[in-house]
Amino acid sequence: MRYKPLALRVLSTAAMLSIVASCAAPAFAVTYDLNKGDVSVSAESNGKQYVSQWTDDKHTQYAHNDKGEDINHLEDNNVTLTSKVEETKNTITVSAEKDQEAKVTLDNVNIDTREDKSDVYTGGDAAMVVKGAGDVTLELDGSNVLTSGVYNAGLQKNDSDSTGTLTIEDRNDKAGSLTATGGMGGAGIGGSAVSSDHNNNGTENITITGGKITATGGQLAAGIGGSCTVPSNDPKNDPKKDVKNITITGGELTVTGGINAAGIGGGYNSEGDVTGIHISGTKNTTITGGTIAAAIGGGSFTDVQAGNSHLAGTVSDIKISDADLTAIAGPSGVAIGTGHGHYVGDDFVSITGNSHVTVQKNESIRDGSSGLITYKYGDSAWIGIGGGCKLQSNTPIQSEEKV
């Protein structure tokens, strides 16, 4: 009966080849459809990343994957999210524990949570929220849109919830873009006006390395940066919320602050400091500030309590190097520097390398009470760069009258 061992050997060899083949087969990333419901991604202390998705607002019913499994804390270290360009109100939450990194790709995501698009005060959750002490890396594929309701940021990263670094990148050849728009009081990318334990929020540690980015703050909030300070007698309302460590090393950006807020920097009436705005490697970039605020730097501080001007924060450490950008001052504001009522800190503004910087104004504007404007450009006076500026650019800064 020699055929039996031979048959067993053949079957054994076939089984082994099958095992080897299955081990060598590449793992294809799963794409999660936001049209099915809210998604949560978490990078946890065990070094693994997990994803959950719900089909109901109360998060009691789980969506299913192609295998029929509940998408309930499933391990997935390379999450891709899409709404297939279709608009949805379902939201994204990404969290990373200390010393961990969450990695998420947005692929033609279109979220708009507003309840009434015709009403600036309309409610609506944050389209996307970043949380945790760890880092979050966001890859952009295709065209992505995040639009939030009142008080919330489009892409929300409150310093009270997130201390890690959010990195937005476009490392492949899929022409990634992101349009992030805050509701009234909320930044395009950054802080919200109200959160679970604060009535206003700063933001920190945001890095943009590429992609086409359009960030628009809601009324009184920065395009990228801080929220509006909401007046309150509640003791949990801490008005001193800083905006710090915003680093841009590439990409094409169009950033617009809401009224009384910076394009990149502080929101309205915040007593917090603005520090560590570093911009390099940009092209086709335009940054616009709101009324009596800076395009890059501080929002305006006009505390209604007489004698409280000393509470305003300090603007410092703005560095522009090898960048091509246009900074547009809003009415009675400046292109680069402090907003009304803020103070100048050390290493206020530095422009170095082969930078091409154009400063513009929208209309006739005046110097604020701080009296910090020191550079004038003929008939275009009062539009430009705050005091203490170190100009080391190889290309002269240009000034234009109107846009």
Side-chain angles (χ1 to χ4, degrees):
M1 301 288 296
R2 295 178 59 84
Y3 68 91
K4 187 171 183 180
L6 177 61
L8 287 175
R9 285 198 299 272
V10 171
L11 289 172
S12 177
T13 301
M16 181 61 68
L17 289 173
S18 175
I19 293 172
V20 171
S22 65
C23 291
F28 294 97
V30 176
T31 299
Y32 300 88
D33 185 354
L34 284 161
N35 294 301
K36 294 181 178 180
D38 298 342
V39 171
S40 174
V41 179
S42 58
E44 301 182 6
S45 57
N46 61 3
K48 297 180 180 180
Q49 179 169 284
Y50 301 92
V51 60
S52 297
Q53 185 173 27
W54 301 268
T55 58
D56 64 320
D57 293 339
K58 294 183 178 180
H59 292 181
T60 61
Q61 301 295 322
Y62 292 101
H64 300 108
N65 61 17
D66 293 340
K67 298 178 181 179
E69 302 170 321
D70 286 352
I71 305 176
N72 175 15
H73 205 242
L74 294 181
E75 183 180 348
D76 190 334
N77 292 319
N78 188 19
V79 171
T80 298
L81 304 176
T82 186
S83 70
K84 303 175 182 177
V85 189
E86 296 179 32
E87 185 179 298
T88 179
K89 291 185 182 298
N90 297 322
T91 63
I92 303 167
T93 301
V94 182
S95 61
E97 296 185 13
K98 186 178 180 181
D99 299 324
Q100 303 302 315
E101 179 185 9
K103 296 181 179 180
V104 175
T105 297
L106 299 186
D107 184 357
N108 291 302
V109 165
N110 184 3
I111 300 174
D112 189 337
T113 67
R114 292 175 297 171
E115 297 168 3
D116 181 354
K117 295 181 182 181
S118 65
D119 182 5
V120 69
Y121 300 100
T122 190
D125 295 331
M128 181 171 181
V129 178
V130 173
K131 294 184 176 182
D135 299 333
V136 173
T137 297
L138 195 61
E139 168 69 26
L140 303 176
D141 288 353
S143 175
N144 299 282
V145 179
L146 302 173
T147 306
S148 300
V150 65
Y151 296 149
N152 288 307
L155 173 47
Q156 190 158 293
K157 188 183 188 299
N158 290 330
D159 57 2
S160 57
D161 298 324
S162 171
T163 55
T165 297
L166 166 65
T167 300
I168 301 172
E169 62 184 24
D170 179 19
R171 290 187 174 273
N172 54 34
D173 297 326
K174 296 187 178 181
S177 68
L178 173 65
T179 299
T181 305
M184 187 187 73
I189 301 173
S192 69
V194 177
S195 63
S196 60
D197 57 351
H198 289 87
N199 287 310
N200 62 290
N201 291 276
T203 193
E204 61 184 19
N205 305 330
I206 296 173
T207 297
I208 297 173
T209 66
K212 189 174 183 179
I213 311 296
T214 301
T216 304
Q219 289 189 23
L220 308 174
I224 301 176
S227 69
C228 164
T229 294
V230 178
S232 172
N233 294 322
D234 192 323
K236 72 181 181 182
N237 179 30
D238 175 13
K240 188 171 176 59
K241 298 307 248 176
D242 298 337
V243 173
K244 57 186 179 181
N245 303 333
I246 297 176
T247 303
I248 300 169
T249 61
E252 300 181 25
L253 286 79
T254 301
V255 184
T256 306
I259 184 173
N260 294 104
I264 300 178
Y268 170 65
N269 242 24
S270 173
E271 297 174 10
D273 298 331
V274 176
T275 185
I277 300 176
H278 298 167
I279 302 173
S280 64
T282 58
K283 58 182 180 179
N284 300 326
T285 291
T286 301
I287 304 165
T288 304
T291 306
I292 59 175
I296 305 171
S300 71
F301 182 87
T302 54
D303 194 293
V304 295
Q305 301 293 327
N308 278 355
S309 61
H310 67 281
L311 297 176
T314 297
V315 178
S316 64
D317 190 22
I318 298 174
K319 289 184 170 62
I320 299 172
S321 176
D322 298 314
D324 184 352
L325 64 85
T326 297
I328 303 176
S332 299
V334 297
I336 305 171
T338 66
H340 173 82
H342 284 273
Y343 296 91
V344 172
D346 295 334
D347 298 324
F348 180 37
V349 178
S350 176
I351 301 175
T352 62
N354 189 28
S355 293
H356 299 257
V357 178
T358 300
V359 292
Q360 298 177 341
K361 65 178 179 178
N362 284 325
E363 59 183 58
S364 179
I365 55 180
R366 61 176 175 78
D367 185 16
S369 62
S370 56
L372 296 171
I373 306 301
T374 58
Y375 286 83
K376 300 182 182 180
Y377 303 90
D379 294 335
S380 299
W382 313 120
I383 72 172
I385 300 170
C389 177
K390 301 175 181 178
L391 294 177
Q392 300 170 9
S393 174
N394 292 339
T395 302
I397 294 176
Q398 303 171 3
S399 171
E400 297 182 5
E401 181 69 15
K402 286 191 177 184
V403 293

